[in-house]
Every structure is written in C-alpha cells, then in structure tokens.
Amino acid sequence: MNLALQIERYLPRQLLELVEDISREANQLGQKAYLVGGVVRDLLLGCSNFDLDLVIEGDAIELAQQVAKIRQIKLIIHSRFGTAKLNCGDFTLDMATARGETYAKPGALPTVTPGTLNNDLSRRDFSINAMAISLMPSNYGELLDPYEGRSDLEHRFIRVLHPKSFSDDATRILRAIRYEQRLGFELELQTAQLLKQDIPMLDTVSGDRIRHELELILKERHPEYVIKRLGELGVLQRINSALKGDGWIAEKFDKARLLSKPIQLSSLYICLLIYPLHERENKHLIRRLNMPTRLAQVLCDTLQLKSQLHLLDKSSIKKSEIYYLLHEYDPLAIQANVMASESSAACSNLKLFLTRLRYVKTSLNGERLKRLGIPAGPELGKILQILHKAKLDGRIKTRAEEEKLALSLKS
Ligand code: ATP
C-alpha cells in the first residue's frame, strides 16, 4: 500500500516540505528515514496528526543537523538518546535513531541498543502504533506493517505485539484503554485477557511514568470515558484503592470542560478525580505518583477546602469572611470546589471570591498609613486589615473614607 497521497493531503505544507527535505538529505547521507507511530495510524484512519515521529536507520542527529542547516530552523539534540527535535513554525518533528530494547526486569526502563526499523517497531505498544511509512525516494509512501496493524485498524482492535508486553511495561495498560476509548475500538481477545491478568504489574512501574500516562489521558477529548473504563477494570483501584471512575466524575468533568479555561483543564480534572478521597488517601496517591510540589499543594488545598465548605453554605455570610476563609487557597482548588460542590450557596460564594473579592484592594497601603502618623508595627497591620474588611463589606468606598477610618482607629 502506498500512502504518498495521504501524506500530501493531511500534512500542512510546512511539514510536508520538511518531510521531503528529510527524505532527500537522508538519501544523500546513505540513511533511511521512516514516519512511524501515531501519524501513520492516523493517516490510515484519515485524520490529521501534526505530531510527527521519524525513525532513522543511520544517525538521526547527523541527519537532523544537516536538515536544520539547510532550512535554517531550530534544533534540539538529546545525544544520550540519539534523538533530535526540529522546530518548524507551529510544528515540531521528532527524529530518533532506530533502536531495539530489552527489559532487565518488569517495569524497569528498557536497555536500548541501536537497531533496524524492524527492531524499533517490535518494541512498540500495539500493532496499530507499530507501522511505518518509508520516506526513501525509491519507495516514498510505502506502508511497512510487520504486525498487521492495518488489519487491526480495519477490525477496530487494540492488540499487543507479544504476550509479555503488559508485564514488561504496565503503562501500556493505561495506553491500551486510552486508545480503546479514543478510537472506539475493542481490546482484541487475548490482549484483553493479558491486560486483566497483568493489572498487578502496575505496582512495578514508577510514579512518574504512571503520572505521565494519566496526564495523557486527561488531555483526551473525553477523559471521563477512559477513567470510567479504568475503574470498571480495577486499574484505577490498583493505583489507589479509593479512586473511582463513576458517573459523578463524568458529570463533573463535563462541567469543568464547559466552565474552565483550557489551560487549567488537566489540573482541574485531577482535582476532581481526587475529590471523593479522604486526605489520607490523597497523600498516599501524591506519594505513589510522585506529584510535583505545586500540584500536590493544589490537591491538598482542594480537600481541605472541601472540609470547610459548610462555613460558606449560607447566603448571609459577610464578604470579608468569605475573603479571609479563602484567600490562602490556590485558585485552582477553589475552582475545583465550584465544580464539585452540591451547595448552591457555597458555590456562589466561591465564585464571588474568584471573580471579585480576591481583587479588592484598599487605596491606602502601609507607607501611606505611616504618612498619616500611624507608626510601623503590629497596630499598622491590624488597621490595614480592618480597612480591607470594611472595603470588602462595602462600608467604605473612597480613599477619604479609608483615611477617616484609619485615623479613628489610631491609638
Ligand atoms: P497520540 O499522541 O495520538 O496519543 P502517539 O502514538 O503519538 O499517539 P505517544 O505517546 O506520543 O503516542 O507515543 C509515540 C509512539 O511511541 C507510539 O505510537 C508508540 O508506538 C510508542 N510508545 C509510546 N509509549 C510506549 C510504550 N510504553 N511502550 C511501547 N511503545 C510506546
């Protein structure tokens, strides 16, 4: 099968020209270049994928340097891994020297050796991701499909390449379900059996790698489908026994998608995922996934605020009380509670804080109070806070009113 027409049709011009240059330069250097992985799968499915991965039989770094020189484009090199990233306008293109892998023990990072395209495809996760397209001028566009990925695409199957695949690398369990749900495919029968049998192998995988796959899931268009299925299979519970993928999550993810800024969405999803957990279970998950400090803090804040929500569950509460209850929480944790809380009064108070109260400032600051004759020290701090509360509650509005109140408080 030849996919030259699909390449031309689905790749934007900038990327197409880059691919053509790589093809020509590889040929001149006596190297062989192939498109691999997701882009091949998606070209066969007739969808765009601008994340191009190339495998080179030869020296990917030498080839990338040559192409970067000719096109005058930016290049990032990782010599240790034999990989290079070319920057092409809005797109990037990853090039890697073909390699083989062996696993010293389950879950460990693989030992990598230089190899052929076939070695490279044989270390991949599923048949649908183990296809390549030749970029050699002699057979440009030809599909190379040693594991019958195309047939699996047609039959809509996710299939591992060998029976030890999930035990070698149990992150593939999370990947299998991500593709299954994204593409609306089924796990092939033996793959489904192996997946279920190897769920305990998740214990052999580092927190960072599981977190990375979880982040990829949360970048999907409908992560709730993946989460639900992982819950049904008992995968989530293997990561943390308290995690659930029930309808509550689906409803809240939907709401988050509607209301939040896209840039915050993944973090917000994680906050919602842990929302039903107790603080102890949350700490356990943070340790298991080796969460970065900022994210861990947001998750702890989310649950701490959840335990304080009853204080906000009334419409009569003063604005200054709302402010001082919330001002030390991360705004993302507050946003998560807006999505998750069932109390409409608490929700409107949280929103009031996020949209208005957190921006309320007094006109006077410490320096100006000192100029009014109030000495530096604890008294000044107290007066500033009284002014701030009065402003939040609408008891003072103008700078003159602030000054009057400040002077009346001076001892
Ligand atoms: P998409 O970005 O659409 O989710 P992709 O196929 O580009 O799909 P990546 O996570 O970027 O996915 O991985 C690139 C390729 O690397 C995959 O197509 C797959 O062949 C291979 N790969 C990634 N992770 C693994 C893994 N754990 N085991 C084996 N192969 C993997």
Side-chain angles (χ1 to χ4, degrees):
M1 182 180 201
N2 194 293
L3 294 163
L5 282 178
Q6 281 86 333
I7 296 178
E8 189 155 349
R9 175 155 166 219
Y10 286 106
L11 293 193
R13 180 123 303 271
Q14 269 175 317
L15 273 180
L16 184 64
E17 284 172 7
L18 181 58
V19 165
E20 287 167 353
D21 282 354
I22 292 172
S23 162
R24 198 187 51 249
E25 291 308 315
N27 195 45
Q28 278 181 9
L29 290 170
Q31 306 194 5
K32 294 178 178 170
Y34 304 90
L35 276 176
V36 291
V39 64
V40 182
R41 178 197 67 219
D42 289 342
L43 281 174
L44 282 163
L45 287 171
C47 357
S48 309
N49 181 337
F50 304 143
D51 261 341
L52 298 201
D53 286 310
L54 267 75
V55 161
I56 311 299
E57 280 182 333
D59 183 344
I61 293 177
E62 184 193 5
L63 176 57
Q65 280 170 330
Q66 178 71 8
V67 174
K69 198 167 108 195
I70 290 169
R71 293 184 64 96
Q72 300 278 299
I73 54 178
K74 249 175 87 186
L75 170 72
I76 302 167
I77 290 177
H78 295 287
S79 318
R80 231 181 91 208
F81 301 107
T83 61
K85 194 183 266 299
L86 285 168
N87 256 328
C88 169
D90 298 337
F91 312 103
T92 54
L93 180 150
D94 289 296
M95 290 168 69
T97 303
R99 59 197 196 185
E101 281 178 359
T102 47
Y103 289 85
K105 62 176 176 89
L109 281 176
T111 312
V112 174
T113 46
T116 60
L117 174 74
N118 272 332
N119 296 145
D120 203 282
L121 295 181
S122 72
R123 71 185 175 83
R124 289 178 185 261
D125 45 7
F126 311 112
S127 62
I128 59 165
N129 286 341
M131 293 180 275
I133 297 176
S134 168
L135 297 179
M136 279 174 287
S138 56
N139 62 348
Y140 184 90
E142 188 177 312
L143 179 69
L144 302 151
D145 181 17
Y147 297 97
E148 298 179 22
R150 189 177 154 214
S151 156
D152 284 337
L153 274 184
E154 274 161 17
H155 294 101
R156 307 174 75 78
F157 280 144
I158 307 292
R159 188 165 55 84
V160 283
L161 306 190
H162 57 85
K164 278 179 68 201
S165 185
F166 290 125
S167 64
D168 277 348
D169 178 358
T171 62
R172 292 173 186 161
I173 293 175
L174 300 167
R175 297 178 63 82
I177 303 305
R178 177 159 68 86
Y179 291 120
E180 178 202 58
Q181 294 302 310
R182 181 204 294 175
L183 301 170
F185 282 19
E186 263 180 55
L187 299 178
E188 170 272 337
L189 195 64
Q190 198 200 358
T191 300
Q193 283 164 354
L194 291 166
L195 184 147
K196 285 178 195 152
Q197 162 200 312
D198 285 334
I199 289 172
M201 297 306 282
L202 279 164
D203 299 355
T204 66
V205 179
S206 75
D208 286 332
R209 297 195 64 225
I210 295 191
R211 194 183 71 249
H212 174 66
E213 289 300 332
L214 186 61
E215 284 162 359
L216 290 179
I217 289 170
L218 297 178
K219 285 192 184 129
E220 291 288 317
R221 218 141 84 99
H222 284 289
E224 64 276 20
Y225 300 165
V226 187
I227 297 293
K228 177 165 182 266
R229 177 88 161 112
L230 291 172
E232 284 163 4
L233 288 163
V235 175
L236 283 184
Q237 297 81 336
R238 191 78 204 184
I239 296 169
N240 184 295
S241 57
L243 284 175
K244 288 195 195 81
D246 55 14
W248 186 89
I249 292 282
E251 184 197 321
K252 300 302 171 188
F253 275 26
D254 244 356
K255 195 165 165 189
R257 225 173 358 254
L258 274 177
L259 298 180
S260 112
K261 295 190 193 127
I263 191 155
Q264 296 183 335
L265 199 52
S266 295
S267 312
L268 204 51
Y269 283 150
I270 302 195
C271 295
L272 294 170
L273 197 61
I274 60 98
Y275 204 80
L277 270 56
H278 293 296
E279 293 194 21
R280 187 175 30 82
E281 296 161 338
N282 183 39
K283 295 246 163 72
H284 191 265
L285 184 69
I286 287 170
R287 267 200 308 280
R288 174 67 184 103
L289 299 192
N290 194 25
M291 303 256 195
T293 317
R294 160 91 212 285
L295 179 59
Q297 189 56 52
V298 172
L299 298 186
C300 292
D301 271 15
T302 301
L303 291 191
Q304 215 193 333
L305 178 54
K306 175 184 160 189
S307 72
Q308 300 288 300
L309 273 187
H310 60 279
L311 300 172
L312 290 159
D313 188 11
K314 45 193 172 195
S315 43
S316 56
I317 186 170
K318 281 201 221 157
K319 296 194 172 61
S320 56
E321 284 179 63
I322 300 176
Y323 180 93
Y324 282 96
L325 262 168
L326 295 177
H327 76 292
E328 283 180 346
Y329 287 106
D330 191 293
L332 207 54
I334 300 177
Q335 187 78 40
N337 275 275
V338 171
M339 310 282 163
S341 161
E342 305 298 339
S343 144
S344 63
C347 251
S348 18
N349 289 330
L350 293 170
K351 283 195 219 156
L352 183 64
F353 174 82
L354 285 176
T355 54
R356 280 194 30 222
L357 302 185
R358 68 173 157 151
Y359 303 113
V360 172
K361 302 265 181 295
T362 51
S363 311
L364 297 180
N365 57 18
E367 276 313 305
R368 286 177 182 145
L369 285 186
K370 277 194 259 170
R371 270 184 249 139
L372 288 177
I374 299 165
E379 192 194 354
L380 186 136
K382 270 192 210 140
I383 293 178
L384 270 176
Q385 195 178 79
I386 293 171
L387 292 182
H388 188 221
K389 286 185 176 174
K391 184 129 188 194
L392 282 161
D393 292 334
R395 283 184 282 116
I396 53 172
K397 290 196 174 65
T398 62
R399 182 182 170 132
E401 285 170 331
E402 281 183 32
E403 281 180 7
K404 194 170 156 204
L405 177 59
L407 289 172
S408 76
L409 293 166
K410 196 177 143 194
S411 52

